[in-house]
Amino acid sequence: RNIMNDPHFFMQLLQSFYSKDNDESKQDKSTAFHNYKILDECEFLPSINEDMKLNEPDFKAFIKEVRAQSKALGILDDCDRTLGRILSHSPSEDDEKNILTMVADILDLSDAEYLRRSFGTGIFNQRGAHMRDKGGNQERALADKYRKYAEPWIISHPHVAQMFENMARSYENTAKYWDNHDKLMSENLN
């Protein structure tokens, strides 16, 4: 949690393994890997306090500062990939909005394509290992879920709505794959 309250510390960790300066003497590989694992396992959003509440001005200031520093260092895409995955742990705002509006505000920035992609990857990875049913019904259910997630953002946050729509399409494509896979498998067994 402390990492996500201190943009300078976050940047130190990020720079240790994404630095464009490949001077190995500055940072040994085991330390860089350790720092990578710290950020990779982070699930706390920026500015979260002891009561697990988010402070919106601090949240937005954190994101703005680390993105600006990363841009100056030439590692903005790497920063956005890390932040996007962390932001994928956003709690729901209410029954309609599956992420906080302050998170949607960041994801909807016009220069935040890597944030949105990494957010989607983070969501996908949170599914984890799962048992397969026959066909693509599980993926169709997920496609429906993400399409519903897109609805409240269509007007106010079009990039966010499109991000969820893209996730829905991806699951629809996967559903078709499993439908075809199982059809072919059953035909080959007969």
Side-chain angles (χ1 to χ4, degrees):
R1 193 182 67 209
N2 291 336
I3 297 164
M4 299 310 291
N5 284 315
D6 184 349
H8 299 293
F9 185 41
F10 178 90
M11 286 303 301
Q12 281 181 317
L13 294 175
L14 194 68
Q15 281 181 268
S16 73
F17 54 89
Y18 281 130
S19 178
K20 297 298 182 192
D21 177 14
N22 291 326
D23 183 7
E24 302 241 352
S25 64
K26 288 174 76 175
Q27 188 76 37
D28 68 52
K29 288 182 181 182
S30 65
T31 301
F33 180 75
H34 175 73
N35 292 346
Y36 173 82
K37 291 301 289 176
I38 289 170
L39 287 180
D40 188 55
E41 294 173 8
C42 182
E43 297 180 0
F44 291 106
L45 272 60
S47 80
I48 199 160
N49 66 21
E50 296 83 24
D51 299 327
M52 302 305 281
K53 302 282 186 217
L54 290 169
N55 177 302
E56 185 169 357
D58 290 347
F59 171 83
K60 289 183 176 181
F62 180 98
I63 299 289
K64 184 177 181 179
E65 183 171 342
V66 299
R67 289 188 84 225
Q69 287 183 32
S70 295
K71 186 174 184 176
L73 294 168
I75 58 171
L76 179 59
D77 293 347
D78 301 313
C79 176
D80 281 357
R81 278 192 286 274
T82 302
L83 285 175
R85 191 203 49 74
I86 291 169
L87 295 179
S88 74
H89 294 282
S90 171
S92 298
E93 184 155 307
D94 54 38
D95 291 339
E96 242 183 61
K97 295 180 178 175
N98 69 310
I99 60 173
L100 297 171
T101 298
M102 71 176 94
V103 172
D105 290 344
I106 300 301
L107 292 171
D108 206 59
L109 295 170
S110 61
D111 69 340
E113 181 61 31
Y114 280 109
L115 274 170
R116 289 187 290 276
R117 284 187 202 171
S118 296
F119 180 93
T121 300
I123 294 291
F124 179 82
N125 289 342
Q126 288 173 35
R127 183 178 184 199
H130 53 279
M131 297 295 293
R132 292 244 21 98
D133 289 336
K134 286 196 181 260
N137 291 333
Q138 292 171 314
E139 286 74 20
R140 267 187 283 291
L142 289 168
D144 291 343
K145 177 173 114 172
Y146 289 110
R147 191 155 283 119
K148 284 183 179 120
Y149 286 173
E151 290 173 5
W153 305 110
I154 291 172
I155 302 294
S156 63
H157 296 78
H159 292 297
V160 172
Q162 187 62 54
M163 174 189 71
F164 284 121
E165 180 60 34
N166 291 344
M167 292 169 72
R169 278 195 217 118
S170 176
Y171 277 114
E172 284 174 345
N173 290 335
T174 304
K176 290 175 189 173
Y177 167 83
W178 284 112
D179 288 341
N180 291 333
H181 176 273
D182 289 346
K183 181 180 176 186
L184 289 171
M185 291 300 289
S186 67
E187 288 173 359
N188 286 335
L189 293 176
N190 292 330

